[in-house]
Amino acid sequence: MKSWPSPFIPAVPGNGLPVRVHDTASGDLCLLTPGPTARMYVCGITPYDATHMGHAATYVTFDLLGRALRDAGHEVLYVQNVTDVDEPLLARAHRDGVEWQALAAAEIALFREDMTALGVIAPDHYIGAVEGVPSVVKAVTALLAGGTAYRVKVPEGEGAPGASDIYFDLSSAPDFGSVSSWDRDQMMAVFAERGGDPGRLGKRDQLDPLLWRAERAGEPSWPGGELGEGRPGWHIECTTIALDYLGMTFDVQGGGTDLIFPHHEMSAVQACGITGTSPFARAFVHQAMVGLDGEKMSKSRGNLVLVSTLRHCGVDPMAIRLAVLAHHYRTPWEWDGEVLLDAQERLATWRAGLSGNGGPPADAAIARIRECMADDLDAPGALAAVDEWVSQSLSKGGTEIGSPGVVGRTVDALLGIRL
Ligand code: 5CA
Ligand code: ZN
């Protein structure tokens, strides 16, 4: 699938530091030691509504991680999916009386525009669930043959005669629980609201995830060989795309904290089942939820502040990005008018402070920005370092010719803020 144009990343003098991030699986900070190429998979959108500030926070956070890894001297191989066929997309298309393909195409196009405006580096492989169907068929067929997946008959009248859905057998998976470390009660409490079907009769365990859904009347389907006509379950989409484009034990699996369970738990355990090895990823990194009026911002609730609405109202996308950067990715935060006003004010101040030919020395500021970003993506700390340099520049000026240019390039390369 077509992604979007990546921004130019200016060179920063000197060398970046090795990067540490918080790994949900170990509950600890994890030093990333990827070798020449860091491999990162970030869960992409389900395109049934427009990019909101929660999505923006997630994709900007992983963009910052990619920039920190590049600064530390690594190449970054970045893969993102698009869940371009799934229940919520089909339901929204049905509700609005539009074709699901047209809805997905329109929302993906808007997402591309939003990511371009926010200066997010594009993934190297941007893969739709629909494109990934043949790979899912191969993987599920192998799991079935190996006895780690099983069939559950489709109730009479719902599908073709004799058709069955296919589930992953969690009892075959010793790694289950290793991503979230949640107990069963915690898992059961959210499973249904996050796309699971604990009440489905015939499942061996209520938590077993759906791998392949047999064709139902009025639903899209693809040939599944011996699986029969159908479509992929949600988690297996990310399992197979990550395995195909990154391979097992890649460096970072990313997304919002709402994906810790079941999505990242199930994607990982299925990958272990398919490959017979573990772990799926070395670090599982999660963006805290962005809220609005006391609730998680979400398409299903409809309490949204859209990136595109802000842009169409004339808000500078760099102010939107700065609003995200003002919050540490592991701290939940709420969108409100104040957050945006603060970001707009900071952007204007930075532009003023960086507009001269000379300024205070740049070295300490650059070192501090690098230190903050390598230390679990401390973007607020990096903003404070720039604030400090800008304040010196505005109050005292400075004689170091070229330093505003160098600080500006650092802000661009490491924080993705174009001034
Ligand atoms: N397509 C799946 C992932 S495979 C999905 O969760 N799509 S989504 O459109 O619902 O969300 C896209 C990304 O934004 C996910 O990584 C999700 O965790 C993140 N996200 C969704 N809502 C928020 C929010 N309120 N705050 C922060 N991140 C969010
Ligand atoms: Zn995913």
Side-chain angles (χ1 to χ4, degrees):
M1 184 172 287
K2 191 173 119 225
S3 62
W4 56 89
S6 277
F8 172 73
I9 308 172
V12 180
N15 296 308
L17 300 163
V19 182
R20 290 193 311 166
V21 279
H22 182 265
D23 167 33
T24 302
S26 65
D28 227 333
L29 289 178
C30 162
L31 183 70
L32 298 175
T33 51
T37 303
R39 294 172 294 157
M40 177 160 78
Y41 184 95
V42 176
C43 282
I45 54 163
T46 306
Y48 69 88
D49 210 332
T51 324
H52 59 63
M53 284 308 303
H55 301 136
T58 288
Y59 299 112
V60 166
T61 287
F62 290 98
D63 185 61
L64 293 176
L65 180 51
R67 287 168 186 268
L69 287 165
R70 286 178 179 87
D71 190 47
H74 306 289
E75 304 262 326
V76 178
L77 180 59
Y78 181 21
V79 178
Q80 190 177 127
N81 69 305
V82 187
T83 309
D84 60 357
V85 61
D86 198 19
E87 214 50 54
L89 170 67
L90 299 176
R92 179 63 63 91
H94 181 73
R95 188 197 81 178
D96 295 351
V98 293
E99 294 284 340
W100 62 273
Q101 295 96 328
L103 176 60
E107 297 303 352
I108 294 165
L110 188 58
F111 179 72
R112 287 190 190 106
E113 273 180 27
D114 289 333
M115 292 299 107
T116 307
L118 292 175
V120 171
I121 299 168
D124 300 285
H125 301 283
Y126 191 47
I127 310 294
V130 172
E131 291 172 85
V133 168
S135 190
V136 169
V137 170
K138 224 167 96 191
V140 176
T141 305
L143 285 170
L144 205 53
T148 45
Y150 60 95
R151 294 177 184 274
V152 174
K153 280 220 162 357
V154 173
E156 217 158 295
E158 265 189 39
S164 47
D165 299 323
I166 299 169
Y167 286 86
F168 185 80
D169 186 347
L170 288 174
S171 71
S172 72
D175 293 300
F176 182 57
S178 63
V179 174
S180 65
S181 307
W182 288 13
D183 64 29
R184 195 169 169 94
D185 287 347
Q186 288 173 292
M187 293 178 177
M188 285 301 288
V190 302
F191 188 58
E193 81 191 43
R194 295 186 180 175
D197 56 354
R200 175 70 191 276
L201 292 177
K203 279 171 66 169
R204 292 178 187 168
D205 183 321
Q206 288 188 301
L207 290 172
D208 284 349
L210 177 71
L211 293 168
W212 185 253
R213 178 174 162 87
E215 183 183 17
R216 307 292 203 275
E219 288 188 15
S221 66
W222 289 265
E226 62 190 67
L227 309 181
E229 286 274 318
R231 64 178 160 95
W234 172 28
H235 318 302
I236 192 71
E237 160 195 349
C238 286
T239 306
T240 52
I241 294 173
L243 288 180
D244 286 350
Y245 291 89
L246 296 176
M248 194 64 179
T249 315
F250 54 92
D251 297 288
V252 174
Q253 157 73 306
T257 51
D258 58 340
L259 298 186
I260 295 173
F261 187 87
H263 186 55
H264 286 174
E265 190 75 67
M266 300 302 186
S267 311
V269 85
Q270 290 169 172
C272 297
I274 291 167
T275 62
T277 62
S278 68
F280 186 40
R282 291 203 168 91
F284 293 83
V285 180
H286 293 106
Q287 162 71 42
M289 289 295 103
V290 177
L292 183 71
D293 302 329
E295 287 207 85
K296 172 192 168 189
M297 194 178 285
S298 81
K299 292 180 289 201
S300 51
R301 285 195 181 90
N303 58 336
L304 306 176
V305 172
L306 303 180
V307 173
S308 47
T309 309
L310 295 170
R311 291 196 290 112
H312 293 144
C313 291
V315 175
D316 188 323
M318 290 300 105
I320 304 174
R321 187 167 170 121
L322 264 183
V324 170
L325 265 58
H327 303 87
H328 192 272
Y329 79 95
R330 287 209 281 139
T331 310
W333 58 279
E334 292 250 326
W335 176 267
D336 60 27
E338 193 103 343
V339 167
L340 180 60
L341 279 176
D342 287 351
Q344 287 172 315
E345 200 181 301
R346 177 176 263 136
L347 187 61
T349 310
W350 284 13
R351 283 189 171 138
L354 282 153
S355 63
N357 288 321
D363 291 1
I366 296 173
R368 183 75 195 128
I369 296 166
R370 276 195 161 124
E371 225 170 77
C372 289
M373 296 314 289
D375 181 14
D376 199 22
L377 305 177
D378 178 10
L383 298 199
V386 182
D387 286 345
E388 172 65 25
W389 186 93
V390 164
S391 146
Q392 295 268 331
S393 170
L394 288 172
S395 61
K396 301 193 193 128
T399 52
E400 198 164 309
I401 299 301
S403 73
V406 181
V407 172
R409 286 215 303 273
T410 308
V411 165
D412 188 343
L414 294 184
L415 305 180
I417 301 289
R418 293 184 305 270
L419 293 163

